[in-house]
Amino acid sequence: MLLNVYISSAADGYFLLRAVEIPELKVKAKRFDDIPDAVRAAAAAVTGKAPGDFEIALDY
C-alpha cells in the first residue's frame, strides 16, 4: 500500500508526519532517515498489516 506522507511540522528536534491515506496516523521521527521505518511501524499498528506492506512516498 502506498502512503503519501508529508511533514506537518518540525519542532523541538522532531518531524511530525501525517499520511494522506490514513488521516488518523500521526508519527514523530527524530531524524530524516528514520521517517520511512517510523511511518511503516505506525501504519502497521493502526491497520494490522505488516510493516513491509507499506511503501512510503515523502512529500516535503
Side-chain angles (χ1 to χ4, degrees), residues 10-55:
D12 299 325
Y14 288 93
F15 296 104
L16 179 59
L17 308 152
R18 305 293 304 261
V20 174
E21 295 76 13
I22 307 173
E24 65 274 18
L25 186 72
K26 294 180 185 175
V27 183
K28 282 176 120 178
K30 188 153 182 86
R31 296 183 341 190
F32 192 80
D33 58 336
D34 292 338
I35 290 173
D37 289 337
V39 172
R40 284 186 187 101
V46 169
T47 64
K49 294 183 178 185
D53 290 345
F54 299 99
E55 183 179 340

